[in-house]
Amino acid sequence: MASKDVLLKVDNLTTTFQTDEDSITVLDDVTFDLHHGESLGIVGESGCGKSVTALSIMRLLPKPAGQVVKGTVTYNDENLLSLSREKMYTIRGKKIAMIFQEPMTALNPVHRIGKQLGEIYQIHFPEMSEAESHAAQIDILEKVGIPSPEKRLREYPHQLSGGMRQRVMIAMALSCKPDILIADEPTTALDVTTQNQILNLMRELQQEINMSIIFITHDLGVIAEMCDRVIVMYAGRIVEQAPVKDLFSTPHHPYTKGLLESIPRLETPPKSRLEIIEGLVPNLKNIPEGCRFRSRCDFEVEDCSKTDPKGEPIGDESHRTVACIRWQELSS
């Protein structure tokens, strides 16, 4: 039974995409919990399954190609994957909201900001009058730090800067004060100053409404700053889960270690060659036998080609899991 503190429980989530030739498994038995008020980071290379995990939870997979074929996503004792479309409409946006990767494509270019923001209140708060909705829109834009909100409501997305569009996306996601916010690369392509402002804003709003956040990013620096706990994904699988401080101080999985070693550091001599993880992510159409990371791993042994490791607790560290037979053998 899940802990009472668990707000969202993802269990054995498996997602496939149908191509002209075959069905490809892009998420394979993904399992994790999200607690009340927690910031959970999901990190990994492009194509590892981070965004597909979020879209699967939200039931926003492209149809008919994308399909969840196994697993459950439990929120408030209800499996979101088995709810009717109408019931899911009452949860998506109001209880579980999402900030999408690129605001210029997520926002409709032919509608003004006010129309797009106003639709949220029309759907989730139909009892609101037009004047009340307008006041709520002004209020949420002010909260996310957008100047002259009355003017912005009359503008189109292309008339706003990248940082301003991202703030609009955050305003739309937070307008219903959701229990869970899924932020998919919310600071990508933003300059460092704007990125810092966005992160501070999200942290302040999280504390204000006691919201839980799933933070999806490539940036381990953002993970270190924003998250309490982190999930590392590789080729559709979770390879390591740990509190963020433990992960940075003692990474267990070789892939996690490789990601951390690739971060530039202040003490690194100028013009030094950056560390990289040699090789390529395996093709999901043709997953190799055994460990998915073994062809790129410096610690590969014979059993790695025979055993497909699952995430297991490390020794007495029940708060940590790692999918690596080397670490599992060392801790046993």
Side-chain angles (χ1 to χ4, degrees), residues 142-212:
E142 287 178 341
K143 278 189 175 179
V144 299
I146 292 181
S148 306
E150 185 80 51
K151 177 184 175 183
R152 305 306 175 194
L153 288 175
R154 298 192 298 270
E155 293 182 333
Y156 292 93
H158 71 271
Q159 295 177 283
L160 306 181
S161 67
M164 202 78 78
R165 287 194 294 267
Q166 195 63 277
R167 289 173 187 268
V168 170
M169 290 295 297
I170 293 173
M172 294 174 73
L174 297 179
S175 56
C176 297
K177 297 185 177 180
D179 293 334
I180 300 170
L181 174 66
I182 301 176
D184 190 359
E185 301 279 4
T187 57
T188 298
L190 298 179
D191 62 82
V192 176
T193 301
T194 305
Q195 181 185 78
N196 188 58
Q197 292 172 349
I198 295 293
L199 295 178
N200 288 336
L201 169 65
M202 292 178 67
R203 190 184 294 109
E204 291 169 6
L205 293 173
Q206 179 185 24
Q207 294 173 352
E208 181 181 330
I209 62 178
N210 193 32
M211 175 177 63
S212 299

Side-chain angles (χ1 to χ4, degrees), residues 15-50:
T15 298
T16 63
F17 276 79
Q18 186 67 44
T19 67
D20 292 338
E21 297 84 22
D22 204 356
S23 179
I24 302 172
T25 299
V26 293
L27 287 185
D28 191 0
D29 285 338
V30 170
T31 298
F32 64 89
D33 295 337
L34 177 69
H35 298 85
H36 286 275
E38 180 183 36
S39 293
L40 174 67
I42 303 180
V43 68
E45 291 171 276
S46 295
C48 71
K50 305 185 300 296

Side-chain angles (χ1 to χ4, degrees), residues 89-104:
Y89 282 155
T90 67
I91 293 175
R92 188 192 300 126
K94 187 173 185 180
K95 299 297 184 182
I96 305 176
M98 184 167 175
I99 301 172
F100 296 91
Q101 278 194 30
E102 176 47 60
M104 195 59 205

Side-chain angles (χ1 to χ4, degrees), residues 56-177:
S56 298
I57 292 170
M58 296 290 286
R59 286 178 54 181
L60 290 173
L61 291 168
K63 298 293 183 183
Q67 185 177 3
V68 176
V69 296
K70 190 176 75 171
T72 58
V73 178
T74 305
Y75 167 75
N76 280 348
D77 297 323
E78 289 186 302
N79 179 14
L80 299 182
L81 303 180
S82 63
L83 296 181
S84 67
R85 182 181 299 181
E86 291 73 21
K87 177 66 174 176
M88 192 64 196
Y89 282 155
T90 67
I91 293 175
R92 188 192 300 126
K94 187 173 185 180
K95 299 297 184 182
I96 305 176
M98 184 167 175
I99 301 172
F100 296 91
Q101 278 194 30
E102 176 47 60
M104 195 59 205
T105 55
L107 293 169
N108 192 321
V110 301
H111 291 302
R112 300 178 193 273
I113 297 302
K115 177 175 175 56
Q116 298 183 61
L117 187 54
E119 284 180 348
I120 297 172
Y121 294 98
Q122 291 173 14
I123 292 170
H124 297 296
F125 303 100
E127 71 281 1
M128 268 190 174
S129 67
E130 188 172 335
E132 289 171 332
S133 173
H134 184 76
Q137 294 169 46
I138 296 290
D139 181 62
I140 193 64
L141 290 184
E142 287 178 341
K143 278 189 175 179
V144 299
I146 292 181
S148 306
E150 185 80 51
K151 177 184 175 183
R152 305 306 175 194
L153 288 175
R154 298 192 298 270
E155 293 182 333
Y156 292 93
H158 71 271
Q159 295 177 283
L160 306 181
S161 67
M164 202 78 78
R165 287 194 294 267
Q166 195 63 277
R167 289 173 187 268
V168 170
M169 290 295 297
I170 293 173
M172 294 174 73
L174 297 179
S175 56
C176 297
K177 297 185 177 180

